[in-house]
Amino acid sequence: MIEFETMAQRHNYILDQLEKNEVVKISDLAKKLDVSIVTIRKDIKTLENMDLIYKAHGLIYKNNPYTQDINVNEKSLLNVEQKRDIAKFAASLIEPNDAILIASGTTVLQFAQAINVTNGKLTVVTSAMNVALALSGKANIEVIQLGGVVRPNSTSVVGPYAEDTLKKLSFSKLFLGIDGIDTDYGLTTSNLLEANLNHLMIKASQKTIVLTDYSKFGKKGFGKICNLNEIDHIITDSRITEKAKEDIDNLGVKLTIV
């Protein structure tokens, strides 16, 4: 229990907790500060009116947790160094004669660009047209592009054609990009059809490896892909919060920070 004499001190404590954790329960704050729910709600309302926090369903966030469908060209300009480091490590996980599946997203595009096969052969199936193009000229790589309806914002395909093809294939690894990862709710993307395709990709793969920079943690997209405990490995960067690290570890999911 922490006692503060002024409202300003409580506000600073709340903001400090959000810097350390991507999401905080309002009821937990009331207990820690030893104040009533009414008092803490007034504090939250004040901070919300100042655009310093975002409140939803008994939780507070530093920023709006709900993602939107942003064009891939805009996404490619965000957190470029982090995505590049994540991609390089992910590329090191490919083994000789692997058959892998690559979903869509700017981080997995960086991953595709980082792949260099010098031993054996690599078979790649992908829903992303830009990933297929990035790999098409590389030695020892066979690329299979899934068919379907092309989403302009992601230059990837969705729909029954891609889904039917996946049901007939099996992969050693899936490299998955996401729009949001919430340790309670799970993995999400901003498009429902893409979320459904990603779910089928997980079912078709022996191991699912998620490539995501720190900014996707605590976020939620429109379409849910799966629960967090349904994946095997997350590769992210050093700006991930301690709370997210702890939650991932508790679920038994492997975490690599680059």
Side-chain angles (χ1 to χ4, degrees), residues 39-58:
T39 298
I40 202 68
R41 283 178 178 166
K42 287 180 180 178
D43 289 338
I44 297 302
K45 185 64 177 176
T46 299
L47 293 171
E48 192 177 22
N49 290 339
M50 296 168 67
D51 292 325
L52 294 174
I53 63 169
Y54 186 92
K55 178 173 73 69
H57 306 297

Side-chain angles (χ1 to χ4, degrees), residues 127 147-151 156-163 191 193-195 197:
S127 59
V149 179
V150 179
R151 290 189 58 227
S156 63
V157 300
V158 294
Y161 292 110
E163 293 170 7
N191 181 274
L193 289 175
E194 190 158 59
L197 183 64

